[in-house]
């Protein structure tokens, strides 16, 4: 029970952080991605702040426990997936975290985006499951699995 | 180029720090990576109910944050895209994050924090294609 409360609290703090950071504003995301126009670097500070805190805290935490570690190589699913995700991010202005938080706004675009995102995730995972059960996948090809994030 | 004000920068750094803190709490309490696309997908992965309860609580916390913000600071919400764009963009984000095993949080924050080469590459790629998309929208005369 305490574990579930910790997870709920982590989600709550994460979501408030996204709001404070400006990540719930698609126009701000578009400004950050507008390198060749009126570039707004603000959201770069969000990533910098998050990495500074997490990289430091991680170092202290991991002296105690060792979590899943992705030691995999850069492969084509990673590259294609990241490329497709970036196109969707530039187009809609939401990445998955803000998409989840924004459902609480109960606005049509936010709900539609979330629904389509979930459908896309389940579709891809289903496709992968089918692909995995058909021909034998080479060992190691799926080992990095979900460890990335 | 937009020059952000000191307040904008502080809010961005502070928001980012909260995200980093929350990801650390999740790692410390459950040994899991707080990548939202992965957490969301794990809700539907095969496994018993106990395994799914932790990601469900985390996602519940995110939605709770959305409700709190809606009441306390509704200005943090910006206007979303049009319906057609939202559906297309959402589907691309869903497919892309699962195929690439991570999103802004999983690769951009957690992965880079642990020095993962895969995550550094993924982050550079999704920022590059995001920027190319915004550029293309501008060329087409559509404001993103």
């Amino acid at each position: 029970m305490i574990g579930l409360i910790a997870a709920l609290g982590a989600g709550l703090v994460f979501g408030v952080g996204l709001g404070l950071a400006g990540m719930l504003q698609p126009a701000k995301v578009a400004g950050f991605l507008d390198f060749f126009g009126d570039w707004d670097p603000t959201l770069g500070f969000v990533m910098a702040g998050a990495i500074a805190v997490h990289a430091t805290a991680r170092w202290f935490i991991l002296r105690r426990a060792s979590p899943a570690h992705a030691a995999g190589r850069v492969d084509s699913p990673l590259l294609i997936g990241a490329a497709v995700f970036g196109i969707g991010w530039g187009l809609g202005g939401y990445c998955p975290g803000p998409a989840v938080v924004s459902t609480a706004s109960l606005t049509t675009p936010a709900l539609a985006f979330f629904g389509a995102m979930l459908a896309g995730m389940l579709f891809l995972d289903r496709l992968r499951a089918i692909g995995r059960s058909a021909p034998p996948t080479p060992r190691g090809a799926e080992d990095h699995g979900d460890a990335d994030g | 180029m937009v020059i952000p004000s000191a307040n904008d920068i502080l809010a961005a750094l502070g928001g980012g720090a909260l995200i980093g803190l929350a990801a650390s709490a999740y790692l410390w309490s459950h040994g899991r990576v707080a990548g939202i696309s992965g957490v969301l997908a794990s809700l539907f992965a095969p496994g018993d109910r106990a395994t799914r309860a932790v990601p469900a609580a985390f996602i519940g916390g995110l939605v709770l944050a959305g409700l709190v913000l809606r009441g306390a600071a509704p200005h943090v919400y910006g206007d979303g895209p049009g319906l057609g764009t939202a559906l297309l963009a959402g589907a691309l984000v869903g497919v892309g994050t699962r195929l690439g095993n991570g999103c802004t949080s999983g690769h951009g924050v957690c992965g880079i924090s642990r020095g993962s080469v895969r995550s550094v590459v993924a982050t550079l790629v999704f920022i590059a294609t995001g920027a190319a998309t915004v550029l293309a929208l501008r060329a087409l005369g559509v404001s993103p």
Side-chain angles (χ1 to χ4, degrees):
Chain A
M1 190 62 200
I2 287 181
L4 291 185
I5 292 169
L8 184 92
L12 179 65
V13 172
F14 199 110
V16 170
L18 286 172
L20 178 63
M23 294 290 291
L24 306 181
Q25 299 171 35
K28 209 162 174 72
V29 172
F32 174 66
L33 293 172
D34 198 5
F35 293 127
F36 307 102
D38 209 12
W39 185 49
D40 178 357
T42 313
L43 295 188
F45 292 98
V46 179
M47 201 175 256
I51 292 172
V53 169
H54 189 56
T56 310
R58 211 184 158 270
W59 188 83
F60 285 101
I61 293 165
L62 293 197
R63 290 191 302 184
R64 204 196 58 146
S66 166
H69 191 93
R73 287 165 295 130
V74 173
D75 51 15
S76 47
L78 180 82
L79 294 173
I80 297 167
V84 170
F85 162 46
I87 295 170
W89 193 33
L91 202 57
Y94 293 119
C95 50
V100 173
V101 177
S102 296
T103 57
S105 71
L106 293 179
T107 55
T108 311
L111 292 173
F113 186 98
F114 178 77
M117 180 178 84
L118 206 56
M121 287 178 162
L122 295 176
F123 169 74
L124 202 279
D125 282 352
R126 174 58 60 89
L127 215 61
R128 265 187 164 171
I130 292 169
R132 211 168 284 167
S133 61
T137 342
R139 266 295 286 159
E142 56 192 83
D143 280 355
H144 49 75
D146 293 333
D148 285 330
Chain B
M1 187 178 146
V2 177
I3 308 294
S5 69
N7 276 346
D8 287 348
I9 293 175
L10 281 177
L13 282 172
L18 288 181
I19 293 167
L21 196 68
S24 305
Y26 197 55
L27 178 68
W28 181 69
S29 60
H30 296 285
R32 299 192 197 200
V33 177
I36 308 302
S37 56
V39 173
L40 208 49
S42 67
L43 284 183
F44 301 94
D48 55 25
R49 278 178 60 187
T51 329
R52 281 194 286 260
V54 169
F58 186 87
I59 296 293
L62 284 176
V63 176
L64 186 61
L67 292 169
V68 169
L69 289 168
R70 194 177 146 202
H75 61 272
V76 301
Y77 287 108
D79 289 333
L83 181 59
T85 308
L87 289 171
L88 174 63
L92 291 172
V93 168
V95 168
T97 52
R98 290 310 294 148
L99 185 60
N101 259 321
C103 56
T104 344
S105 47
H107 282 310
V109 176
C110 299
I112 290 184
S113 291
R114 72 166 175 267
S116 156
V117 175
R118 279 171 57 83
S119 291
V120 173
V121 171
T123 304
L124 291 174
V125 169
F126 67 66
I127 289 180
T129 57
T133 304
V134 169
L135 185 68
L137 289 174
R138 174 191 300 288
L140 291 170
V142 195
S143 84

